[in-house]
Amino acid sequence: MVCATPECMQCGSRLRNGMLEIGIDGALQVTQTKQTSIHRRGSYIYEHGQYPHGVFCIHHGHVKIVRSGADGRDHIVRFAKAGDITGYSSLLTNEKYATSCIALDDSIVCSIPAPVLFHQIRENPRLALHVMQQLSTEVQDAQRQIVELAHKTIRERLAETLLVLKEVFGLASDGLTLASPLTREEIASVVGTAPESVIRTLSEFKADKLISTNGRSIRLTNLKGLARIANIHD
Amino acid sequence: MVCATPECMQCGSRLRNGMLEIGIDGALQVTQTKQTSIHRRGSYIYEHGQYPHGVFCIHHGHVKIVRSGADGRDHIVRFAKAGDITGYSSLLTNEKYATSCIALDDSIVCSIPAPVLFHQIRENPRLALHVMQQLSTEVQDAQRQIVELAHKTIRERLAETLLVLKEVFGLASDGLTLASPLTREEIASVVGTAPESVIRTLSEFKADKLISTNGRSIRLTNLKGLARIANIHD
DNA sequence: TTATAACCCTGACAAATGTCATAGTCTGGG
DNA sequence: CCCAGACTATGACATTTGTCAGGGTTATAA
């Protein structure tokens, strides 16, 4: 679905207002060429194996970036939410997507064509530097995850994941309940374990008065306790 | 140790001869400002917690990039060898190193000052693009590691690691023995497990006629068998 | 509203992995 | 050449985690 409304300029304005400073002309080109689409929970923004044609910028909602393992099990390698950009690492290496990007909410996503992005990068060293910094942050996040998967228990990783979900999705109006649409299985595929282990460990946390649950929803009643489990070790 | 010999131009020439094309002037600037140092096994090229002042380019030998976990245990997140560049992700985000870089061999490493690198990036969009591509590859490698740590057994990960070591360090003149100086403990910190588990699994591989060992050295006698274990699952 | 599928939860058990103890082996420096 | 320290190797055992089965609950769509 093409986004033809003049006020739909978040992509361009974000690029301009951020540290990127692609200039009025650049913002105009981006705004004129981008395509906006609406997704419901579960719908694919891009899929493993396709060739990239551009980058995606999340206007509204939340998406998960998923990589499937050899045995068919999926792993959520990161989230993206409104304002975040995704899909450039495969575009830059000019390879098929190694990951899929799937909406978690009802989301609005716009896509900037590759030629436009490359043109802007060539024209503007500050944009280039910004992309490098984004990629550097991704590298460091991924390396941190590697170490944690290798050496932390499920208990530690789940506690940290709950705190990450708080950052990504925020809290409901009570200030305690995670505003996250993730199922236990999706949480498991962030933590890197089986859904049963997530459920069991959540029950431990309940017994330890760190959280309480009601159906899918989780209330974080002791943030410091969770942080202690997550950072320092058991 | 400053590298003053005129023939020591690998950094500059690599940058020029590669896809980077920084031009004669660029190569000259790099060559004139870089510093070359010699390291023995175990010596630090840079260390976790320091602030970066430039990027490092490996002339000769092999290094490990290590990240230490909360419990003090280290994890090898990747290797770099002659021709590879390392240390730019922390430089770009302008944060303390999250990793350490340690020589595995007697190695020769040269360092390009940050201002020179940034100047070259600003001047030359192709260099910028190349750095982005390197970073993209690192992101994808790291994400692959995440999924494997989350969902593969030690047996699978160790088989893959042996094949990786073959790519990084090559084989001795017999065409079978890994030319790797890694101890069992270092292999464990690639695989993400305890040294005992590595030794035990290597013994399984010996029993399965996939490898043979002699002290520290490992002979890969059945590459296809290892690949089968590594890729398809057990 | 109801039917249905997806999801949450727990128990029991099996398998994988970590930890500790101990002994043998290699290797580099004096 | 020899010794000390580091490394490899294996067994026994504890712990963590995965798998399978089954029952209750919730959400979604007709």
Side-chain angles (χ1 to χ4, degrees):
Chain A
M1 174 197 279
V2 179
C3 171
T5 60
E7 67 272 18
C8 179
M9 290 189 58
Q10 285 96 321
C11 286
S13 58
R14 181 173 185 84
L15 288 172
R16 189 177 67 249
N17 295 336
M19 51 294 284
L20 310 189
E21 305 184 13
I22 60 176
I24 298 296
D25 290 349
L28 198 63
Q29 188 191 24
V30 168
T31 303
Q32 286 177 341
T33 57
K34 74 184 164 61
Q35 296 211 329
T36 303
S37 57
I38 298 177
H39 296 267
R40 339 194 65 188
R41 175 168 166 84
S43 119
Y44 280 71
I45 284 89
Y46 57 82
E47 187 167 4
H48 166 257
Q50 295 172 339
Y51 275 98
H53 299 299
V55 295
F56 297 91
C57 155
I58 315 297
H59 270 213
H60 181 266
H62 301 80
V63 302
K64 59 179 175 182
I65 285 83
V66 169
R67 180 153 180 154
S68 35
D71 57 350
R73 232 181 319 196
D74 285 350
H75 190 92
I76 297 179
V77 293
R78 68 185 185 91
F79 297 104
K81 61 178 177 177
D84 291 338
I85 299 175
T86 184
Y88 40 64
S89 81
S90 292
L91 181 67
L92 284 165
T93 58
N94 198 30
E95 290 170 335
K96 293 175 190 171
Y97 287 117
T99 55
S100 301
C101 178
I102 304 171
L104 292 168
D105 298 316
D106 292 348
S107 305
I108 303 173
V109 177
C110 78
S111 134
I112 303 172
V116 174
L117 182 75
F118 284 123
H119 179 258
Q120 295 299 331
I121 286 176
R122 265 193 305 276
E123 292 298 304
N124 191 324
R126 299 188 65 152
L127 174 59
L129 208 56
H130 180 72
V131 171
M132 286 179 217
Q133 286 169 349
Q134 290 258 122
L135 284 164
S136 297
T137 302
E138 263 191 72
V139 167
Q140 289 171 26
D141 281 357
Q143 288 179 346
R144 189 180 40 71
Q145 275 190 69
I146 287 171
V147 175
E148 294 183 351
L149 276 168
H151 295 304
K152 285 189 171 180
T153 63
I154 287 184
R155 191 176 164 83
E156 293 170 303
R157 274 144 51 203
L158 179 58
E160 171 162 353
T161 297
L162 292 178
L163 297 173
V164 168
L165 295 184
K166 170 172 169 285
E167 296 310 311
V168 173
F169 296 98
L171 298 173
S173 50
D174 65 358
L176 290 174
T177 304
L178 276 184
S180 139
L182 299 191
T183 66
R184 300 291 185 259
E185 181 163 14
E186 284 174 315
I187 295 176
S189 87
V190 179
V191 173
T193 184
E196 292 94 331
S197 294
V198 167
I199 290 166
R200 239 182 280 280
T201 311
L202 286 175
S203 296
E204 285 179 34
F205 287 172
K206 275 189 275 189
D208 298 345
K209 309 284 184 200
L210 296 165
I211 66 169
S212 63
T213 67
N214 178 15
R216 181 172 302 182
S217 80
I218 299 174
R219 286 160 47 95
L220 309 182
T221 52
N222 184 347
L223 287 176
K224 287 191 181 176
L226 287 173
R228 198 173 323 115
I229 291 173
N231 295 329
I232 310 167
H233 62 107
D234 206 8
Chain B
M1 174 196 280
V2 178
C3 171
T5 60
E7 67 273 18
C8 179
M9 291 189 58
Q10 285 96 321
C11 286
S13 60
R14 180 172 186 86
L15 288 172
R16 189 177 67 250
N17 294 337
M19 52 294 284
L20 310 188
E21 306 183 12
I22 60 176
I24 297 295
D25 290 350
L28 197 63
Q29 187 190 24
V30 168
T31 303
Q32 285 176 341
T33 56
K34 73 183 164 61
Q35 296 212 328
T36 302
S37 57
I38 298 177
H39 296 267
R40 339 194 65 186
R41 174 168 168 84
S43 118
Y44 281 71
I45 285 89
Y46 57 82
E47 187 167 3
H48 165 258
Q50 294 173 338
Y51 276 98
H53 299 299
V55 295
F56 297 91
C57 155
I58 315 297
H59 271 213
H60 181 265
H62 300 81
V63 303
K64 59 179 176 182
I65 284 84
V66 169
R67 181 153 179 153
S68 36
D71 57 349
R73 232 181 320 195
D74 286 351
H75 190 92
I76 296 179
V77 294
R78 68 185 184 91
F79 296 104
K81 60 178 178 177
D84 291 338
I85 299 175
T86 184
Y88 40 65
S89 81
S90 293
L91 181 67
L92 284 165
T93 58
N94 197 31
E95 291 170 335
K96 293 176 190 170
Y97 287 117
T99 55
S100 302
C101 178
I102 304 171
L104 292 168
D105 297 318
D106 292 348
S107 305
I108 304 173
V109 177
C110 79
S111 135
I112 302 172
V116 175
L117 181 76
F118 284 122
H119 179 258
Q120 294 299 331
I121 286 176
R122 266 193 304 275
E123 293 298 304
N124 191 325
R126 300 188 64 153
L127 174 59
L129 208 56
H130 180 72
V131 171
M132 287 180 217
Q133 286 169 348
Q134 290 258 121
L135 284 164
S136 297
T137 302
E138 262 192 73
V139 167
Q140 289 171 26
D141 281 356
Q143 288 179 347
R144 189 180 41 71
Q145 276 189 69
I146 288 171
V147 174
E148 295 183 352
L149 276 168
H151 295 304
K152 284 190 171 181
T153 64
I154 287 183
R155 191 177 164 82
E156 294 170 303
R157 273 142 52 201
L158 179 58
E160 171 163 353
T161 296
L162 292 177
L163 298 173
V164 168
L165 295 184
K166 169 171 170 286
E167 296 309 312
V168 173
F169 296 98
L171 298 173
S173 52
D174 65 357
L176 289 174
T177 304
L178 277 184
S180 140
L182 298 192
T183 66
R184 300 292 186 259
E185 181 163 14
E186 284 174 315
I187 294 177
S189 87
V190 179
V191 173
T193 184
E196 293 94 329
S197 294
V198 167
I199 290 167
R200 240 182 279 281
T201 311
L202 286 175
S203 297
E204 284 179 34
F205 287 172
K206 275 189 274 190
D208 297 346
K209 309 284 184 202
L210 296 165
I211 66 170
S212 63
T213 67
N214 178 14
R216 181 173 301 181
S217 80
I218 300 174
R219 286 160 48 95
L220 309 182
T221 52
N222 184 348
L223 287 176
K224 287 191 181 175
L226 287 172
R228 198 174 322 115
I229 291 173
N231 296 328
I232 310 167
H233 64 106
D234 206 8

